[in-house]
Amino acid sequence: MSEQTPNLSMPYIMPSQAQKHVTHNEAIELLDMIVQLTFESVVLTTPPAVTEEGQAWAVATGATGEWAGQDGRIATWRGGGWLFVTPQDGWRAWVRDVAEIQAYTGGIWVTQGEVELQNLPSVGINATADTTNRLSVNADATLLNNDGAGHQVKINKAAVTDTASLLYQSGFSGRAEMGLAGNDDFSIKVSADGSAWFTGVTVAAASGHVQIDQVLHLNPTAAPASPAAGDVYFDAAASKLRCYDGTVWQDLF
């Protein structure tokens, strides 16, 4: 038969044991500390200069002095000396200096209810996320506010031939898309059924030229050296918007 309880390691009173009160009092001491466990702090590595009977601390890594070699254990001041106890996963304690409940897990004390938010496989907010839509939100609106001078929303793609875009849907069927679709030119496309798509506007990444419906090209304020039919530029000197008809430049207005 074991001489200690399996969970809290409290000593049993053994048959024919002398001075049974010693073992009983030791168990009571442990219960008095562990039940409704309260820490003064969980970050100290050096024993405090002033202690009161029954106070307890979670010994931080790198302990010195009378706590040397007791990293990760519970130190409680009892009867004029230190009693050390090894915590187990699932123990909870009120931490007085930060006013929060912490739980012991994986060898450390962490805030109760604290969730690790890095590298999550998916997040659903009032919705169910899946392997394609790793972030899913059901809401009337979504606010992305600044934390400084401004705020950027970034959509990145791995290669030129990939897609980085915003897709607007109706009944989960695509109706409009804007972004980089299969190349690095910015385009705006529309669809009536989610299958057949028509490009309305394209902005060439290499030149900044704007192409509307694959016919009208809007260029800066200088005529391109080798114009194509449909190229348009604004002649600032003449205050004219000019269009190239494939042969000559024509004034639009």
Side-chain angles (χ1 to χ4, degrees):
M1 175 182 176
S2 172
E3 296 184 0
Q4 293 181 326
T5 60
N7 289 328
L8 301 182
S9 299
M10 292 187 298
Y12 286 120
I13 295 176
M14 306 305 292
S16 303
Q17 177 183 327
Q19 295 186 317
K20 291 180 172 59
H21 67 283
V22 174
T23 299
H24 174 73
N25 289 343
E26 182 182 347
I28 293 297
E29 286 280 9
L30 289 170
L31 280 175
D32 186 67
M33 178 193 70
I34 296 171
V35 176
Q36 303 295 346
L37 180 60
T38 298
F39 291 140
E40 303 304 314
S41 175
V42 298
V43 298
L44 296 186
T45 57
T46 303
V50 179
T51 58
E52 295 183 10
E53 183 72 12
Q55 287 183 322
W57 290 261
V59 181
T61 302
T64 61
E66 293 182 276
W67 286 1
Q70 304 296 334
D71 292 10
R73 304 188 76 193
I74 298 171
T76 179
W77 185 256
R78 301 272 167 166
W82 291 106
L83 170 65
F84 297 98
V85 176
T86 301
Q88 298 182 35
D89 279 357
W91 285 17
R92 290 170 173 78
W94 172 255
V95 184
R96 198 186 304 276
D97 63 345
V98 292
E100 64 185 28
I101 295 177
Q102 296 189 6
Y104 188 76
T105 178
I108 59 173
W109 292 92
V110 297
T111 301
Q112 181 70 18
E114 188 175 82
V115 178
E116 177 57 57
L117 295 179
Q118 301 293 338
N119 296 312
L120 296 177
S122 62
V123 175
I125 301 176
N126 197 33
T128 301
D130 55 45
T131 55
T132 299
N133 302 292
R134 296 298 183 93
L135 172 62
S136 183
V137 181
N138 281 356
D140 294 329
T142 300
L143 173 63
L144 302 174
N145 194 27
N146 73 82
D147 186 17
H151 186 94
Q152 288 184 322
V153 176
K154 301 177 181 180
I155 303 176
N156 185 59
K157 61 179 182 175
V160 172
T161 55
D162 293 336
T163 295
S165 66
L166 295 176
L167 177 65
Y168 298 87
Q169 298 179 316
S170 179
F172 294 102
S173 177
R175 292 295 180 268
E177 184 176 13
M178 59 188 297
L180 313 180
N183 53 51
D184 280 348
D185 295 338
F186 183 84
S187 63
I188 299 177
K189 303 187 298 182
V190 293
S191 175
D193 57 9
S195 297
W197 288 86
F198 303 95
T199 300
V201 178
T202 300
V203 183
S207 63
H209 292 179
V210 178
Q211 177 176 307
I212 300 177
D213 195 24
Q214 302 183 15
V215 174
L216 180 62
H217 304 266
L218 298 179
N219 295 288
T221 56
S226 301
D231 278 351
V232 174
Y233 82 100
F234 180 71
D235 187 339
S239 297
K240 297 288 186 179
L241 189 65
R242 302 185 187 278
C243 177
Y244 191 70
D245 65 7
T247 304
V248 296
W249 290 97
Q250 302 286 348
D251 291 343
L252 294 180
F253 60 84

